[in-house]
Amino acid sequence: MNRFPLILILCSLLFAPSLFAAHPVGTLHRDTILGVPCRVYLPSSYEEHVKNNLAVFPCLYLQHGMFGCEDDWANHDLIPIMDSLLKEEVIVEMVIIMPDNFLGSIPPAERKRLMDAPNLTPDGEPFVVKNGQCHWRKLTREQERAYEQSGYWEEHFADFIDAVEQKYYLSPRSKNRAVAGLSMGGFHSFHLNHYLAGVFDYVGLFSPVILPLNSYANLHDESVNGFAEQLPYRSPAYANWMDEMRGQASLPPAFWLGMGREDFLYGQLCDFRRWMDANGYEYTYFESTGGHTWANWKEYLQRFLKVCFLREY
């Protein structure tokens, strides 16, 4: 019997244990920041950096779509995606904050009344969670969309960032901040960028809604216990977005846009890209097959992560 191959195998096991060592994996945590539920991804070296006063981390604010919640990205393979990309050494370590940007769009007093209200639909019937919904929804589709585009989230997001950066071991520099989201989360990411000019150096828009509502639904509805007053016609976060963006074309944000050819928002993004071209914006655009799906959004996230926090100044 030839023992030479066996000896090689034994030597490999003895002298190269790193070949079989598990790659360190980041962790997911729950948090509430300024009353907004969040999931937080921390890289595997986070505690070491804090304990030994090593380099602070960059941060990605990653937002869900309409009818979603803070669990969406975590429930759609965030840990495997991050682990795979870090193992390939194609992205940098980062903290990821995933807020419930729906609840964050509601002023605190109204948010509390909504969360404390009976779990009923607007017509008074027991609420039944539908496929794809993460938790209760006590609003009509029109009411929820109106809150999502009320502007409250954008107008108060600077305070949210301050609270996050006081709590976590993060860099406070724009070159180490990114914001991204899918669908309505893309809407928030887009409008946060121009409203808070100079805060983010990376913006990822995945199948984004771009245009704000022209008017808001009447949210003062006795069938939902009158928890909200009618919102203002137009938030300052959206009112002058074209003029604000025209004056920001030379600023650092690196835009990354992804869209499926069968997506119902495809035409809106094509129009927006033409507007960006006409106003001197540079951006990366990736077009895929398919539509408004998690298969696309997960691919867009992976591609966006590979360009985050890598620009040289």
Side-chain angles (χ1 to χ4, degrees):
M1 178 180 178
N2 187 348
R3 297 183 179 180
F4 188 65
L6 179 60
I7 293 173
L8 284 178
I9 293 173
L10 291 174
C11 288
S12 297
L13 291 173
L14 181 63
F15 296 109
S18 61
L19 293 175
F20 302 92
H23 184 74
V25 179
T27 55
L28 282 169
H29 306 268
R30 291 194 179 276
D31 202 349
T32 300
I33 300 171
L34 296 186
V36 178
C38 300
R39 294 300 294 275
V40 179
Y41 167 86
L42 298 178
S44 60
S45 65
Y46 182 82
E47 294 299 334
E48 178 189 359
H49 277 237
V50 173
K51 181 179 178 180
N52 297 308
N53 199 29
L54 302 178
V56 288
F57 290 95
C59 182
L60 166 62
Y61 294 87
L62 184 60
Q63 305 184 89
H64 63 76
M66 192 172 179
F67 305 119
C69 69
E70 73 278 8
D71 291 324
D72 279 15
W73 283 103
N75 290 341
H76 286 88
D77 301 329
L78 180 78
I79 287 285
I81 287 171
M82 294 298 295
D83 182 44
S84 175
L85 294 175
L86 285 167
K87 191 172 183 179
E88 295 172 23
E89 298 183 344
V90 293
I91 65 171
V92 302
E93 285 193 313
M94 67 186 76
V95 171
I96 302 179
I97 305 292
M98 294 161 279
D100 186 328
N101 37 276
F102 162 65
L103 289 178
S105 299
I106 304 176
E110 296 177 18
R111 185 189 311 151
K112 184 178 187 307
R113 286 196 292 272
L114 171 63
M115 296 175 73
D116 291 346
N119 197 22
L120 302 175
T121 63
D123 59 5
E125 296 297 321
F127 180 80
V128 178
V129 176
K130 299 180 179 63
N131 185 34
Q133 293 178 326
C134 298
H135 51 72
W136 72 91
R137 284 291 181 262
K138 303 166 185 176
L139 306 175
T140 65
R141 184 181 182 88
E142 293 73 22
Q143 288 172 326
E144 179 153 349
R145 186 180 179 202
Y147 265 127
E148 289 272 21
Q149 296 193 334
S150 69
Y152 185 88
W153 187 231
E154 288 82 357
E155 291 174 40
H156 294 82
F157 200 78
D159 295 334
F160 184 79
I161 291 175
D162 287 343
V164 168
E165 292 181 351
Q166 288 175 24
K167 192 166 191 178
Y168 292 95
Y169 196 64
L170 301 174
S171 167
R173 304 179 66 183
S174 65
K175 73 174 187 177
N176 291 318
R177 292 196 201 104
V179 63
L182 68 92
S183 193
M184 190 64 78
F187 172 90
H188 288 304
S189 301
F190 168 62
H191 289 286
L192 280 168
N193 174 68
H194 70 77
Y195 185 66
L196 302 177
V199 170
F200 304 102
D201 272 21
Y202 302 87
V203 179
L205 309 180
F206 314 153
S207 310
V209 176
I210 296 294
L211 300 175
L213 290 165
N214 291 323
S215 60
Y216 294 114
N218 184 352
L219 299 184
H220 186 72
D221 185 342
E222 292 182 1
S223 64
V224 234
N225 301 314
F227 64 84
E229 299 296 332
Q230 185 169 353
L231 295 172
Y233 172 72
R234 178 62 59 86
S235 164
Y238 313 139
N240 300 305
W241 71 266
M242 287 189 180
D243 290 339
E244 288 173 354
M245 283 198 66
R246 286 190 185 100
Q248 297 171 13
S250 61
L251 294 181
F255 279 93
W256 193 100
L257 285 64
M259 180 65 76
R261 285 189 288 275
E262 288 77 47
D263 197 301
F264 70 95
L265 292 170
Y266 181 81
Q268 186 177 121
L269 190 63
C270 288
D271 291 341
F272 176 61
R273 287 174 55 218
R274 284 191 284 268
W275 186 91
M276 293 184 80
D277 293 339
N279 285 276
Y281 271 88
E282 295 183 3
Y283 57 90
T284 299
Y285 175 62
F286 176 75
E287 187 169 297
S288 64
T289 58
H292 217 64
T293 65
W294 273 103
N296 275 341
W297 299 327
K298 289 193 292 183
E299 180 177 7
Y300 301 162
L301 175 63
Q302 293 177 69
R303 290 176 177 271
F304 177 64
L305 288 170
K306 291 178 183 179
V307 303
C308 276
F309 314 123
L310 299 178
R311 297 180 69 180
E312 296 182 1
Y313 294 84

